[in-house]
Amino acid sequence: MNKKLVLMGAGLLLTAATASAQKLVTGHVTDAQGQPVMGATVRVPGTKVITTTDANGNFKLSGVPASAKKIMVSYIGMNTATVSVAGNVQVVLKDNELSEAVVIGYGTAKKVGTVVGSVQKVGSEKIAENPTANVADALQGKVAGLQVLNNSGDAGDVNNASITIRGIGSLGASSTPLIVIDGSPAGTGMLSMLNDKDIESVTTLKDASATSIYGSRAANGVIYITTKKGRSGEKAQISVSQKIGWSQLAGKISNQMNSDELLQFQLENGIITPNQYQAYKLHGANTDWQKYFFDNAAPMYNTDFSMRGGSETTTYFVSASYMKQNNLTRVGHFNRYTLRSNLDTKPKSWLNFGLKQSVVYTDRRAEAFASGNKIEGNTSNPVVSAFMYAPYWDPYSEKAKKTHIFDFTQQYDFNWLQREMCQYKTNDIIYNGVAYAQITPFKGMTLKSQLGLYATDTRNTQAVSPEMPGVTSGWAYESHGRSSLWTITNTAEYKFSIADKHNVTLLLGQEGIKGSSRGFGVMGQGITDKRLMNLGSATSADSPAGDYSASKYEYLSFFGRADYAFNNRYFVNFTVRNDRSSRFGADNRAANFLSGGAMWRISDEAFMTPAKHWLSDLQLKVSVGTTGNSEVGDYNSISTTGTTQYDGESGWVISSPGNAKLGWEKQIQTNVGLTAVLFERLNIDLNWYNRKTKDMLMTVPLPYTTGFTSQLMNVGGISNRGFEVEVNYDIVRNRDFFANVYANYSFNNTKVDELFNGLSKWPIPGQYVQYEEGKTINFYMPIYAGVDKQDGAPMWYKNGYKGDIVHEYNPETMTKTYSDDLFQDTGVKYTPSHNGGFGFTIGWKGLTLNADFAYVLGKHMINIDYFYATSANNAKNGFNQSKDMLNVWKKPGDITDLPGMNYSVEGFDTRILQNASFLRLKNLTLAYDLPKTWMEATRFFENVRFSFTGRNIFTITKYKGGDPELDSHLALGFFPGTRQYTLGVEVTF
């Protein structure tokens, strides 16, 4: 009995001791505005004690060890708070500065909700999973008004993306936006040279209020890239990641006949004899040339290392990466090595300075055919060969493997020629860096001086073996180009407040830009040994003067900006900038650019109080301003000389006329926007804009009596009007589960306002386009009327008549003779009017699924590939044809769109003007982060993430070519877009 009492007493004491070793912690979590935060995670570090806040922001954390001194409170998009354990804890979470701050040009960053201009920010989480080298690809479909199209799937082509913001701003000068990296301008090629894991955010500046501060360079908008940096007081964080994957064509190049279909077609049309038919059938080849020429699993690798951290005075971020991508043709490649070091330090309370720099080295080879070798019927182009080679030709026989000539033809294996007989390689060294010093002499005043350098060094090596079929001797060629872009910027910014209601920011600045480039090339002939394919082995030198080039340009700018906010409710800003450029005539080098904007936070008005429970934020924005465009050649304002030969004598001539009156192309843009946040979950952003260009920089034809064909002038005008819609909705968000959907849409209508020399129309038949005052830019070509069902002849509408495809001939409105007189306005827009994207992100206990779709509507292209794949001439010459040719006209009464085999069409018409609108699944990522409690238990790992990513997984389109995404009005032999799959693992320590 006594033993039982003793044991019972001991048990009670143990229970009491255990109870005294644990406690209950309660609390309340709000944001900076005092609103409760639902779904915030509350945990005790190093334990499994965890909970989440309820709808009112309250939490109860039971089982807290007595030894616990701190608890951590975290929520997506907000800074994690660490607070002392107490009976009732009050926690205020502040917005994450990196996710909420946005850089719009010069001065300090602003919070998104206080920016008057139209800007859109894409965070690192949307960029880091991109499996391609070009950062722009990750932006496709993410930002309303931003159109990104990929022009090539060639891994070695570093300029494969086309970017426009709110339409085409000029008919003669560039429409590409300004690229800025950490405050320093850079070339568009740098988008393929950046390690995506170095990027913190990409901000798109669209309207004049946001871009006018950049003046001369911002007419087409601005893409501002901010790279990562360390955080003050943050312990070192090391991250190592590895991705492996493969790529393939995103779709079929063409829907071609197989061997049985082609042989039967050729036999029926007298192209081959019965004996040939039997021989081909007996051989039995049925080659899929797309599979032969293009790898279905070209490997790719990406390794990345980074380290970031900081003390109270110094922060750092360093990284290194290696990317390797093989081309689908097994010839080209892209190898990229990057190093980055971002350092910011504050040695004194009034002094900050830093250095952000990156170095890139590449070893790449673009496909030879991808850079211009696209002439008609050129079967040395694998894209053209894939749909023109007969499937009964055999590349797999022992004879073909030995001779590298396909059976039943004299065609050499183009890929073998490129691999074994030719050497093409390009090496780049690129430096991009920014150094700055910033002092704060007294409260509110910030003085900053910044120096930026974007420098490139490119060497191109080419050689052809003396054993190359068709050449008498080998040759070698090397070229070298070097460029630099220096930018120095000095700013003074003063911020002050009056009575805590009036907030003023004043900015003054000066900027100088100096760009230069120089290059040369040397060629050597007479190489006789394929083992020595270099310049040193050439027996004769060839160094034409045309292979030397040098140029430079300069800008000098002064600018200012004033921002005023009253009671965090009314915001106005005003910007002025004066630019001078060496590219223009002496009397027109300077120009002034102005902008103004206002924003009203309607939701903070007293009359909106009844709606506060569902309308979290409502803003109205209005802005108007001017920007300039100077993206033309460096010497168009001056006459240049050159040499010539006449009657056996050499002499000097004026090679270009110059234009001393050449000046700035200017744009005036008006923007009206409305932003709303509903129920703290639904974000809506609406914008309407009118973008008008005047004094366009255009190449104008001259009378031949002048001795010149054209001259660059300031003439005419163009306008872009449209609207944009962006919606983002958090369906659910709590500790274990969250779901978000987004969508954006933009409509843009481009119209020609004015031409030159009194012209109301300017057709350019060679480009199949016509400019007409007061109208959209449309395709200009003969309009196909169909095939006469009686005789199988092709028909076209006469100039001035239009209609649909028909099958009966009307001599009053139609003709059966193709000629240049048939060219007319088709009414089909040259540029698409609709584009956007949508997607979703779903997460549950560390598992995340993300999908991003992009679409373009109203896009059309002249599909020249299809022209040759449905050509009677090509068919008669033994080349393969599209399955559509099985439906050519054969006898009277046949209803078809393809004329009889006895008709040959030599020119292009609307039959091959195809709808290239598309919807594409750009990105699908499935990722899993191991549980935080596992990581904390190891006391070594901070996070381990596994991921699978697919890019361009499927495409919906009516286009009959290889890729509808191509940004060109003519499609012939272009390298189609690719589909990628990657597996990745990232470990953070």
Side-chain angles (χ1 to χ4, degrees):
M1 184 67 178
N2 290 335
K3 289 182 178 180
K4 290 181 179 179
L5 290 174
V6 171
L7 291 172
M8 184 180 296
L12 290 172
L13 289 172
L14 181 61
T15 302
T18 303
S20 65
Q22 296 179 339
K23 52 189 175 182
L24 174 68
V25 177
T26 61
H28 184 61
V29 181
T30 63
D31 60 17
Q33 287 73 43
Q35 299 297 314
V37 178
M38 181 186 71
T41 301
V42 184
R43 63 156 51 94
V44 178
T47 73
K48 295 183 179 181
V49 181
I50 189 171
T51 189
T52 57
T53 56
D54 59 22
N56 298 315
N58 298 318
F59 69 88
K60 290 183 180 181
L61 195 62
S62 58
V64 178
S67 59
K69 303 297 183 184
K70 302 283 185 180
I71 62 171
M72 296 176 62
V73 184
S74 60
Y75 186 74
I76 297 172
M78 294 182 172
N79 290 324
T80 299
T82 302
V83 297
S84 300
V85 173
N88 189 38
V89 181
Q90 301 297 315
V91 182
V92 177
L93 293 181
K94 296 181 178 180
D95 293 332
N96 187 309
E97 293 181 358
L98 289 177
S99 65
E100 291 297 319
V102 59
V103 179
I104 61 171
Y106 310 104
T108 53
K110 294 184 177 183
K111 193 174 178 180
V112 172
T114 66
V115 176
V116 174
S118 179
V119 303
Q120 183 65 36
K121 180 178 178 180
V122 178
S124 58
E125 70 281 356
K126 290 291 186 180
I127 300 171
E129 299 299 339
N130 182 38
T132 64
N134 199 311
V135 173
D137 185 72
L139 302 177
Q140 189 176 26
K142 303 289 197 314
V143 178
L146 174 66
Q147 180 175 281
V148 179
L149 296 174
N150 286 285
N151 294 319
S152 173
D154 185 357
D157 183 0
V158 298
N159 294 302
N160 57 6
S162 171
I163 310 171
T164 56
I165 299 175
R166 293 182 168 180
I168 298 173
S170 178
L171 297 180
S174 172
S175 291
T176 303
L178 172 67
I179 308 298
V180 180
I181 303 175
D182 290 327
S184 178
T188 55
M190 191 64 189
L191 295 175
S192 293
M193 303 300 177
L194 285 170
N195 176 15
D196 50 18
K197 286 189 173 295
D198 288 351
I199 298 174
E200 187 66 53
S201 65
V202 179
T203 304
T204 304
L205 283 60
K206 297 185 284 188
D207 73 335
S209 176
T211 63
S212 189
I213 190 70
Y214 287 102
S216 62
R217 300 165 294 156
N220 301 306
V222 179
I223 304 293
Y224 195 105
I225 299 174
T226 303
T227 61
K228 293 179 179 178
K229 61 180 181 180
R231 299 187 183 96
S232 180
E234 180 185 62
K235 67 176 183 179
Q237 183 185 76
I238 300 174
S239 177
V240 180
S241 66
Q242 176 67 56
K243 291 181 183 179
I244 60 172
W246 63 98
S247 60
Q248 56 192 217
L249 288 179
K252 291 190 67 174
I253 292 176
S254 182
N255 187 26
Q256 298 304 96
M257 299 184 198
N258 60 32
S259 283
D260 290 340
E261 292 168 331
L262 180 62
L263 286 171
Q264 187 63 35
F265 174 83
Q266 291 179 335
L267 183 64
E268 291 176 355
N269 288 282
I271 300 171
I272 59 174
T273 65
N275 288 338
Q276 289 175 310
Y277 176 86
Q278 291 297 329
Y280 292 138
K281 291 285 286 186
L282 183 64
H283 186 78
N286 187 27
T287 305
D288 185 332
W289 290 106
Q290 177 171 316
K291 289 184 178 180
Y292 180 80
F293 284 117
F294 296 93
D295 194 344
N296 201 45
M300 52 192 299
Y301 313 92
N302 195 351
T303 303
D304 180 81
F305 165 85
S306 68
M307 181 169 59
R308 67 191 299 178
S311 64
E312 294 301 320
T313 59
T314 302
T315 64
Y316 60 88
F317 173 84
V318 294
S319 73
S321 74
Y322 167 64
M323 170 180 276
K324 177 180 176 63
Q325 287 188 340
N326 286 353
N327 242 355
L328 305 189
T329 58
R330 308 173 186 89
V331 175
H333 63 271
F334 179 70
N335 298 334
R336 186 189 68 193
Y337 307 80
T338 72
L339 290 172
R340 173 168 290 278
S341 174
N342 291 353
L343 176 69
D344 299 273
T345 186
K346 189 175 184 178
K348 297 289 185 180
S349 60
W350 50 268
L351 174 62
N352 293 69
F353 69 86
L355 177 62
K356 300 179 180 182
Q357 56 183 343
S358 70
V359 178
V360 182
Y361 175 79
T362 73
D363 181 344
R364 57 188 174 91
R365 176 175 179 176
E367 299 297 341
F369 73 86
S371 58
N373 192 10
K374 310 184 187 77
I375 60 175
E376 65 176 79
N378 188 344
T379 51
S380 63
N381 178 325
V383 175
V384 176
S385 300
F387 66 79
M388 287 188 65
Y389 277 9
Y392 52 76
W393 295 352
D394 190 356
Y396 300 108
S397 70
E398 291 301 320
K399 177 184 176 184
K401 291 178 182 179
K402 182 178 180 180
T403 63
H404 306 290
I405 299 175
F406 304 136
D407 284 2
F408 304 110
T409 179
Q410 294 303 309
Q411 296 282 353
Y412 276 94
D413 185 338
F414 176 74
N415 282 358
W416 172 78
L417 293 176
Q418 291 295 303
R419 287 194 305 268
E420 304 298 330
M421 299 289 110
C422 304
Q423 295 178 3
Y424 295 93
K425 185 173 71 170
T426 301
N427 297 113
D428 305 284
I429 300 176
I430 299 176
Y431 176 85
N432 179 249
V434 173
Y436 74 92
Q438 178 177 297
I439 64 174
T440 307
F442 53 86
K443 183 179 179 181
M445 173 61 77
T446 302
L447 304 177
K448 184 176 181 180
S449 183
Q450 177 175 288
L451 178 65
L453 172 61
Y454 172 67
T456 67
D457 188 284
T458 300
R459 180 176 293 275
N460 180 271
T461 303
Q462 302 178 26
V464 169
S465 168
E467 298 180 7
M468 176 81 164
V471 303
T472 56
S473 66
W475 56 264
Y477 175 82
E478 284 203 18
S479 65
H480 178 263
R482 178 173 293 172
S483 69
S484 64
L485 179 63
W486 290 91
T487 305
I488 184 168
T489 309
N490 301 294
T491 59
E493 183 181 56
Y494 182 49
K495 293 184 176 183
F496 62 93
S497 300
I498 302 174
D500 293 328
K501 288 189 176 181
H502 306 272
N503 297 302
V504 180
T505 302
L506 302 175
L507 175 75
L508 291 175
Q510 173 272 331
E511 186 170 68
I513 297 175
K514 184 176 183 178
S516 64
S517 64
R518 180 171 295 182
F520 66 89
V522 177
M523 185 173 185
Q525 308 247 14
I527 295 176
T528 57
D529 191 332
K530 71 174 184 178
R531 298 169 299 178
L532 299 173
M533 293 167 57
N534 54 61
L535 281 174
S537 302
T539 58
S540 63
D542 182 7
S543 181
D547 275 4
Y548 175 83
S549 64
S551 66
K552 62 181 179 180
Y553 62 92
E554 295 183 4
Y555 290 89
L556 178 62
S557 309
F558 299 91
F559 54 88
R561 184 176 65 214
D563 294 90
Y564 169 74
F566 173 70
N567 206 25
N568 202 36
R569 187 183 306 168
Y570 309 105
F571 302 81
V572 295
N573 74 2
F574 178 76
T575 301
V576 59
R577 179 169 177 133
N578 175 271
D579 281 313
R580 295 179 63 86
S581 173
S582 63
R583 287 175 166 169
F584 299 124
D587 296 333
N588 293 306
R589 288 179 178 171
N592 295 316
F593 304 100
L594 309 173
S595 76
M599 183 178 74
W600 176 26
R601 181 170 281 124
I602 305 172
S603 55
D604 281 1
E605 297 291 349
F607 62 80
M608 295 296 295
T609 302
K612 273 291 187 181
H613 66 285
W614 62 272
L615 184 60
S616 308
D617 194 15
L618 181 63
Q619 301 173 6
L620 177 65
K621 300 180 180 182
V622 179
S623 68
V624 62
T626 60
T627 50
N629 194 346
S630 59
E631 293 306 306
V632 290
D634 295 329
Y635 303 111
N636 285 294
S637 65
I638 59 177
S639 299
T640 57
T641 60
T643 59
T644 188
Q645 294 283 334
Y646 182 76
D647 195 25
E649 299 290 334
S650 61
W652 291 90
V653 295
I654 299 176
S655 57
S656 64
N659 182 357
K661 296 181 180 180
L662 194 67
W664 294 87
E665 177 180 281
K666 294 184 179 180
Q667 290 188 17
I668 303 173
Q669 185 172 179
T670 303
N671 190 92
V672 179
L674 186 69
T675 301
V677 181
L678 285 68
F679 303 105
E680 292 286 349
R681 292 175 179 270
L682 178 62
N683 295 269
I684 303 173
D685 193 17
L686 308 174
N687 283 279
W688 172 88
Y689 62 87
N690 182 16
R691 179 186 177 199
K692 189 177 180 65
T693 305
K694 64 178 184 178
D695 297 330
M696 280 191 303
L697 292 164
M698 287 184 64
T699 301
V700 177
L702 295 177
Y704 289 131
T705 54
T706 64
F708 302 99
T709 58
S710 62
Q711 184 181 36
L712 189 67
M713 299 181 182
N714 291 103
V715 294
I718 190 174
S719 62
N720 289 270
R721 291 186 180 92
F723 62 88
E724 302 161 349
V725 181
E726 298 195 51
V727 179
N728 189 295
Y729 180 53
D730 288 325
I731 301 174
V732 63
R733 53 185 183 190
N734 56 49
R735 184 187 70 180
D736 293 332
F737 181 66
F738 65 89
N740 171 272
V741 295
Y742 77 90
N744 66 76
Y745 165 78
S746 66
F747 169 80
N748 182 79
N749 189 56
T750 305
K751 185 181 71 173
V752 176
D753 297 326
E754 183 184 358
L755 288 171
F756 53 87
N757 296 339
L759 293 177
S760 61
K761 295 181 180 180
W762 185 24
I764 310 177
Q767 298 181 20
Y768 301 94
V769 66
Q770 174 173 271
Y771 304 131
E772 183 174 356
E773 290 183 352
K775 291 189 177 182
T776 59
I777 304 172
N778 296 334
F779 280 95
Y780 183 75
M781 61 195 311
I783 298 177
Y784 189 62
V787 174
D788 186 350
K789 65 180 182 180
Q790 298 303 323
D791 59 9
M795 304 180 296
W796 295 272
Y797 285 104
K798 294 179 180 179
N799 204 321
Y801 295 93
K802 297 179 181 179
D804 297 326
I805 297 292
V806 296
H807 305 287
E808 293 184 357
Y809 180 61
N810 182 350
E812 294 184 4
T813 62
M814 303 175 191
T815 180
K816 295 183 179 180
T817 303
Y818 184 95
S819 69
D820 291 343
D821 294 335
L822 299 178
F823 275 75
Q824 60 176 310
D825 186 346
T826 63
V828 179
K829 288 185 178 180
Y830 201 67
T831 56
S833 295
H834 314 269
N835 74 86
F838 59 90
F840 63 83
T841 303
I842 300 174
W844 178 74
K845 290 188 175 181
L847 189 65
T848 304
L849 177 65
N850 177 77
D852 299 304
F853 294 82
Y855 62 87
V856 177
L857 304 177
K859 185 177 188 293
H860 290 80
M861 282 196 295
I862 299 174
N863 189 352
I864 305 178
D865 288 337
Y866 186 73
F867 177 85
Y868 291 118
T870 54
S871 163
N873 282 345
N874 281 341
K876 292 174 183 177
N877 288 328
F879 291 112
N880 198 5
Q881 295 288 280
S882 166
K883 289 180 184 289
D884 292 351
M885 286 290 282
L886 297 174
N887 298 316
V888 297
W889 185 91
K890 300 181 181 68
K891 63 184 184 303
D894 282 352
I895 303 298
T896 179
D897 294 340
L898 293 172
M901 289 292 291
N902 56 322
Y903 292 99
S904 176
V905 180
E906 300 297 335
F908 304 149
D909 54 40
T910 55
R911 181 181 71 85
I912 60 171
L913 179 58
Q914 297 180 354
N915 186 349
S917 302
F918 66 88
L919 168 66
R920 177 164 271 176
L921 177 52
K922 288 298 300 182
N923 175 76
L924 181 68
T925 298
L926 179 64
Y928 180 64
D929 294 271
L930 295 182
K932 293 292 184 183
T933 53
W934 293 12
M935 301 298 99
E936 292 172 357
T938 66
R939 297 186 179 182
F940 182 70
F941 296 107
E942 186 172 310
N943 191 55
V944 177
R945 178 181 177 89
F946 300 95
S947 64
F948 167 79
T949 298
R951 172 184 174 269
N952 290 348
I953 294 179
F954 71 80
T955 304
I956 299 175
T957 184
K958 294 181 179 180
Y959 183 64
K960 294 185 177 182
D963 189 4
E965 192 176 329
L966 178 69
D967 185 25
S968 173
H969 63 285
L970 293 171
L972 172 61
F974 284 90
F975 201 125
T978 56
R979 179 188 299 122
Q980 280 92 19
Y981 298 100
T982 61
L983 297 169
V985 59
E986 182 175 9
V987 181
T988 305
F989 305 93

